[in-house]
Amino acid sequence: MEATNILPILKKKLAFLSGGKDRRSGLILTIPLSSDQTSMEELSATLDYLLSIPSEKCKARGFTVIVDGRKSQWNIVKTVVLMLQNVIPAEVSLVCVVKPDEFWDKKVTHFCFWKEKDRLGFEVILVSANKLTRYIEPCQLTDDFGGSLDYDHSDWLNKRLVFEKFTKESTSLLDELSIINEGDKSSSVDKDKSADCALLPSFDPETVLQTVSPLLWRIKEEELLAQPQVTKLLDSLREQYTRYQELCRQRNKRTQLDEIHAKVMQVVTWLQGPGSELLKTHQAIGDSMRAAQALQQKHEEIESQHSEWFAVYVELNQQIAALLSAGEEEEVAELKALQQQLSDVCYRQAAQLESRQNVLQAAQGFHSTTQELSQQLDGLLGMLCADVAPADGASIQQNLKLLEEKLQTVEAGLTSVRQKGALVLEQMCNQPSWSLEESESPPGDPQDNVQQIQSVMEEMQLRKQRCEDMVDVRRLKMLQMVQLFKCEEDALQAVEWLGELLDALLKTHVRLGDDSQETRTMLDKHRKFVDVAQSTYDYGRQLLQATVVLCQSLRCTTRSSGDTLPRLNRVWKQFSVSAEERQQRLELALNFHTAAERVLQQEFVEAESLDEVDSSGKTLLDRLTMPIIFPDGYKHIHYQYTTSYSYSCPKT
């Protein structure tokens, strides 16, 4: 019988087991009769249920029944006492009928109980509530009878419902777990059977077991429950639940292994399929910096796609490592094989990605350097193609220095291109090879990339060589122009020097000497002075001849050196005329001084000697009064000479 079947009756509290015990440790059964008519059927059902609760051991110690008749009539009390004979005759040890304050007919009651004593099989005593302690300790009585034992019928009923629910669920759960565990034995040979086919119990074992502790406490307190049976049930339940947990653990492990295997194969399939295909179809290095940057951006997108799968790889690797630490030998071998396969594929793919990244970075460096070199070559070529029209030699020297610097920059740029190209070729050679089944040449074959790099380097070399040849021509031309400007400057300097010599000849070379010795010395210096002027003139002529040759070589027809030669010739002719005049005057002065000194040395002067002196003096004076007429008609007069000479001749 279950409490749920007679729950409305039990709630009426027609009888109850308070948990109290008599002096023989027998349980106390209390029947509180009310003033209302008590249904004997309901009371009988209640007693049947209550008597099904205690264990056989408890029943063997007998019951003390307290019939509380203080609110009832004697005939009802008598009926209840007689009912006890039919319900629990063997278990009842003592029946205490609590009488009301208004005493029943003593003779009747005493006679009835005494008369029926042998037939009833238990002793019935009539006692007032305050004298129950003669038979039962106060601590075992409820407060209705002046005792101190706490009893809450609603709480007790709720715990009974929980207990019966536990018993029912435990029994059902035990049966289900037995079926599941036994069924797993028969199907354990079928390893391919899905774990999803596993039966789930109707009740949560953990929830059921969590209700055991308060129930066992209740059992220990009242000793009403069949504790051995409950303990046996719990032992069986725990045993089956342990087996069930192991079964679930094995199935979960198998499920986890299957999931890991599926995820591993998913990662491997993608990396070896679409992932490898992405890398194989993007092997080009581009033909320009912009193309290389576009390829780099595409590679970053490919890396992003791979990163998602590598994250799955890391997670799977952690899961596999956790399973390896607690796995069985067969599982460990399977897990290690999966882990090795996954690691091999991921590391190989990561190496391909890294190698591709290195190639692209090297290619970007190569294209960047090539582009820079191309711009440098274009700048140098533009400088070489421009007309050279410097104003002076210093400008040419500056342009020549700039040209040499640009050529050195180009040379350094070409060296850098070669280094970057070699780095690209090295990175491409270091790329991991694809497997044999993937050995077909993908788009952007490395051999094509090698040829492209070599072609670009050869092209840069040819362009640089052409520029070098043009630089050599331009350098020669600029050096010739430097020489031309130098010759022109030196020729002008020669004209200036010759003009200075002419100016000195006309303005400072005016004295003719005071005697023959001084005049002769001056005549020697004059000849040397003329030799210097002659050398200056010859040097200027040579420079102008070199200028003509350089102009012809440079095809310069508009040079200003064309008027330098007439200037040089004009100054030289003026100097020649002046020098010739100066030399003649010095010679005339020498003749005059020689004749005069000879006369002065004679003791007796002859008339002829005097005539010679007079004649030479007049000739000199006449010469001094004559102006110097240059080829262009310009006249230059030396007035100093007109008064410079007067001699006193001795008398004969």
Side-chain angles (χ1 to χ4, degrees), residues 264-275:
V264 167
M265 296 313 299
Q266 188 178 8
V267 174
V268 170
T269 301
W270 190 90
L271 291 178
Q272 291 182 340

Side-chain angles (χ1 to χ4, degrees), residues 320-512:
I320 292 175
L323 291 175
L324 283 174
S325 61
E328 299 177 358
E329 183 176 356
E330 182 179 357
E331 296 170 351
V332 168
E334 181 181 358
L335 287 170
K336 285 186 175 180
L338 283 175
Q339 189 179 43
Q340 187 64 42
Q341 181 185 11
L342 182 63
S343 297
D344 290 344
V345 173
C346 288
Y347 278 111
R348 183 167 61 248
Q349 199 74 359
Q352 291 285 356
L353 284 170
E354 182 180 7
S355 176
R356 173 62 177 165
Q357 177 65 28
N358 293 337
V359 170
L360 285 176
Q361 289 180 349
Q364 288 186 68
F366 173 75
H367 288 308
S368 176
T369 307
T370 301
Q371 181 177 338
E372 184 178 354
L373 176 59
S374 180
Q375 293 173 353
Q376 294 170 354
L377 288 170
D378 291 342
L380 179 59
L381 183 61
M383 183 177 179
L384 293 171
C385 293
D387 292 334
V388 180
D392 51 29
S395 299
I396 295 178
Q397 290 285 6
Q398 185 176 0
N399 290 339
L400 184 59
K401 181 180 179 182
L402 180 60
L403 188 66
E404 294 292 347
E405 290 176 353
K406 284 186 174 293
L407 185 60
Q408 291 177 0
T409 302
V410 167
E411 181 65 35
L414 182 61
T415 301
S416 181
V417 166
R418 289 170 179 166
Q419 293 174 350
K420 297 294 179 63
L423 179 60
V424 176
L425 296 176
E426 180 183 356
Q427 293 293 344
M428 288 191 294
C429 292
N430 292 336
Q431 281 186 294
S433 59
W434 299 97
S435 57
L436 294 176
E437 61 270 14
E438 302 171 344
S439 60
E440 296 181 2
S441 297
D445 186 70
Q447 189 61 36
D448 296 338
N449 295 334
V450 171
Q451 294 176 358
Q452 177 185 343
I453 295 296
Q454 293 175 345
S455 175
V456 171
M457 290 193 294
E458 291 173 359
E459 180 185 356
M460 292 295 106
Q461 175 63 36
L462 290 175
R463 289 182 61 186
K464 185 253 184 183
Q465 186 62 49
R466 287 195 295 267
C467 286
E468 275 188 341
D469 296 340
M470 296 179 67
V471 167
D472 292 339
V473 175
R474 177 56 62 88
R475 184 189 296 111
L476 178 60
K477 183 176 181 179
M478 295 181 77
L479 290 175
Q480 288 178 342
M481 292 188 71
V482 171
Q483 190 176 3
L484 173 61
F485 277 108
K486 181 64 176 175
C487 290
E488 289 178 347
E489 292 174 1
D490 291 349
L492 290 174
Q493 185 66 45
V495 173
E496 184 179 352
W497 288 344
L498 199 57
E500 292 175 355
L501 292 174
L502 175 61
D503 189 61
L505 179 62
L506 295 175
K507 294 180 179 180
T508 61
H509 293 202
V510 293
R511 293 184 66 254
L512 298 177

Side-chain angles (χ1 to χ4, degrees), residues 605-612 652:
V605 179
E606 299 177 354
E608 294 179 355
S609 298
L610 290 174
D611 292 339
E612 183 181 358
T652 57

Side-chain angles (χ1 to χ4, degrees), residues 150 155-156 159 163 211-225 227 230 234:
D150 291 333
D155 180 63
W156 176 87
K159 289 181 179 179
F163 171 75
T211 62
V212 173
S213 296
L215 289 174
L216 288 179
W217 176 85
R218 188 66 178 176
I219 292 172
K220 183 177 181 181
E221 182 187 56
E222 299 178 352
E223 295 186 2
L224 299 178
L225 302 179
Q227 188 169 4
V230 173
L234 289 177

Side-chain angles (χ1 to χ4, degrees), residues 1-11 42 45-46 49 52 157 160-161 164-165 168:
M1 181 182 297
E2 296 181 2
T4 54
N5 297 332
I6 58 171
L7 185 59
I9 299 176
L10 293 177
K11 287 182 178 181
E42 292 180 352
T46 301
Y49 175 75
S52 66
L157 185 57
R160 285 302 304 173
L161 292 173
E164 290 182 358
K165 180 183 178 183
K168 182 178 180 181

